[in-house]
Structures are given as C-alpha cells and as structure tokens.
Amino acid sequence: MIGFASKEELPQLMALFSECFPGEEAFAGWFFQRIWQAQNTLVYRANGEIEAMLQLLPVTFVQGSRAFGGEYVYAVGTKTTARGKGYAAALLEAARIETLKRGKDALILIPAEPSLFDYYARFGYRAAFYLKETEVSARAQEGLCLAGPETFEELGAVYESCMAGRFHLKRDAAQFEIQAELFGAENLYLLKEEGKVTAYGFAEQLGQTWRVAEAIGQNAEALAAAIAAEKGQKTILMRTAASDEKKPFAMILPLKTEETAGQGLPPYVNLLYN
C-alpha cells in the first residue's frame, strides 16, 4: 500500500536510508532533522512495514519572468529483501500523480549513477540538466575569502545574473544557508574584486582530493584555482553551468508542457542534497 509516512515511522525511514545509502549516516542525521517532513515522504508498506520510500521535495524553476513549480524526487530506496517487486516503480508513478494534484509543472531527479539514467527513462524522465566539468590548476588569488550569512543575498544575485537566459533552479538566501550547513561554512568561498563579489563556490572533499561542486560567476575559474591553492591541491575539478550540452546531471519529467524544460542555454540544476 502506498501513502505518506508518519512521524512515528521516522526510525524505519532512517534505517532504510542507512541500508540504501551506506556511509551517509552523518548526512542522514542532518537531513532528517533539518529537511525531512512526513508529508513529503511517499512510502510503500507491506505487512505494516515500510519496504520502499522516496522524498518529494518542493522546488521552483525560473526562466526569464516565468516561474514553474516542481517536485524533486530524492532518496528513492527499497529494502534489499524487497527489491525486484516493482515497489520503486509504483512509488514513481504515485509521485507523478501527487505532483499533478499539487498543481506543479514538473518532476526532477538526479540519478545516483550513470546507469540509472536508463532506468528512469522508462518512466518518462529525460536528461535535461547539464554541468561543465573542468580541471583547474591551482593559483593563489587576492580577494578569496569565506562567505557568510551576510553575503547570501549577494551570492544569490551573482547566481541569478549567471543564470540569465536559461531554465534554472531558483535559490534564495535561505537555500544558500541550507547548502552552507551541508558543505560546512569553512567550504563556501567567494571572490571579490574592487569590493564586488564576482564568483562563489562550494568546495567538497573527496577522499584526499577536493572538488568545487558549484562555481558560479564571471571569475569562476579564478575562484576554483584559488580554492585549489587554499586546500593545498595542485589541481581541482570545477563544476559549473554548461554553455552547451556537456555532462548530463539531472532529469526532468514535464507534466503540463514540454516548454517547462526551457529553451536556449542548457538548463541548470546543481547541489540540492545530492
């Protein structure tokens, strides 16, 4: 039976998350305390137990002066003993129906691995959001500093300026705050020139190396180079918005019109809770 979770089922959900996404316990604790809401959690129950789940998180997209409502399908997971029974497929269909009921325009998701693009395509999703990945050599740069809450509105202005002409995820200061919590305040950088923010970036550690998970701004590459130098790296991988279709990152299922997916520059989605 499919329905929404209850607060009393939180321990089951956390256990299922740990089973499906091992090694993410610290993140799971943060997510279920900071983001999780029962009314956004679809579950498949059998014999009174949760066998599968997905999160249905509200997002907003913008292109020009137009806004589109959407839901982000996140953390799709099934118990090991229940896999192959079609529970995830049933939840994906339930998510589509629920999103239509909520009057939203589209569903999006970020496949956890490349092979899952084909799986989600079976349900009508298609690759629509792309990233550009560039390896940047370290180079110290004046004007690199950590960003704080007092800069979130300015970072949002840089983001929106760079998103002009493309279908993109809307962000406000509150969402920058959430991402800063997730990455750690010590890993959110900005670059200033003549007192003006020209780029920002979220740095994340991957084993012994670092990556700039999102670098946005007219001086994004200089920012990434400076972060590499700050972190003691010779080079660093930088992710930013693509000018043409590069690395497929996320998928969309338009529910009302293909126009939802946008025209012009490749649509952009990044970060969220991926």
Side-chain angles (χ1 to χ4, degrees):
M1 183 178 73
I2 293 177
F4 285 98
S6 67
K7 292 182 179 179
E8 291 70 28
E9 292 173 313
L10 182 56
Q12 283 192 64
L13 294 168
M14 294 185 72
L16 180 55
F17 194 100
S18 294
E19 180 180 343
C20 295
F21 310 105
E24 297 290 338
E25 288 75 17
F27 167 77
W30 175 86
F31 178 84
F32 282 104
Q33 181 178 26
R34 184 71 167 87
I35 306 298
W36 179 80
Q37 294 184 39
Q39 66 267 28
N40 289 332
T41 307
L42 279 170
V43 297
Y44 194 108
R45 299 183 185 90
N47 301 317
E49 296 292 321
I50 293 176
E51 300 291 305
M53 68 174 182
L54 64 74
Q55 303 294 317
L56 203 55
L57 307 177
V59 292
T60 300
F61 294 96
V62 176
Q63 185 165 40
S65 61
R66 301 183 65 190
F68 302 87
E71 298 286 350
Y72 172 38
V73 177
Y74 178 66
V76 182
T78 304
K79 280 184 179 179
T80 305
T81 55
R83 290 174 186 171
K85 298 181 179 180
Y87 293 165
L91 283 174
L92 287 167
E93 174 60 12
R96 185 188 69 82
I97 293 170
E98 177 61 27
T99 302
L100 281 170
K101 287 180 181 177
R102 294 180 179 184
K104 301 295 184 69
D105 297 284
L107 284 155
I108 68 159
L109 54 79
I110 301 172
E113 54 188 60
S115 63
L116 290 175
F117 278 86
D118 288 338
Y119 173 76
Y120 289 117
R122 290 160 46 190
F123 305 96
Y125 288 86
R126 60 180 175 81
F129 301 94
Y130 298 84
L131 296 179
K132 178 182 178 182
E133 288 191 340
T134 306
E135 189 173 39
V136 178
S137 297
R139 184 177 69 256
Q141 178 82 30
E142 289 187 9
L144 180 73
C145 59
L146 292 174
E150 71 282 357
T151 67
F152 290 162
E153 287 191 9
E154 198 168 1
L155 300 190
V158 171
Y159 174 78
E160 286 299 332
S161 175
C162 289
M163 293 298 112
R166 85 173 73 224
F167 184 77
H168 65 278
L169 181 72
K170 182 180 179 180
R171 291 209 198 123
D172 57 20
Q175 288 161 326
F176 273 98
E177 179 182 358
I178 288 172
Q179 294 296 333
E181 287 180 22
L182 183 55
F183 280 85
E186 71 280 9
N187 293 319
L188 173 53
Y189 292 88
L190 59 80
L191 190 63
K192 278 190 173 184
E193 289 190 8
E194 298 180 353
K196 181 181 178 182
V197 176
T198 59
Y200 73 83
F202 289 91
E204 61 179 340
Q205 190 167 14
L206 305 171
Q208 299 300 311
T209 64
W210 286 81
R211 173 173 70 188
V212 184
E214 177 175 85
I216 296 292
Q218 65 188 57
N219 289 330
E221 188 168 327
L223 170 94
I227 292 175
E230 181 73 15
K231 298 297 187 183
Q233 304 287 296
K234 292 183 178 179
T235 63
I236 198 166
L237 189 67
M238 175 188 76
R239 284 180 164 181
T240 190
S243 56
D244 53 9
E245 294 185 4
K246 294 290 184 182
K247 180 182 176 65
F249 181 69
M251 306 180 79
I252 193 168
L253 175 61
L255 298 178
K256 295 183 179 180
T257 171
E258 285 295 314
E259 188 180 349
T260 304
Q263 304 293 327
L265 291 168
Y268 182 75
V269 162
N270 196 358
L271 304 185
L272 292 171
Y273 311 111
N274 183 60

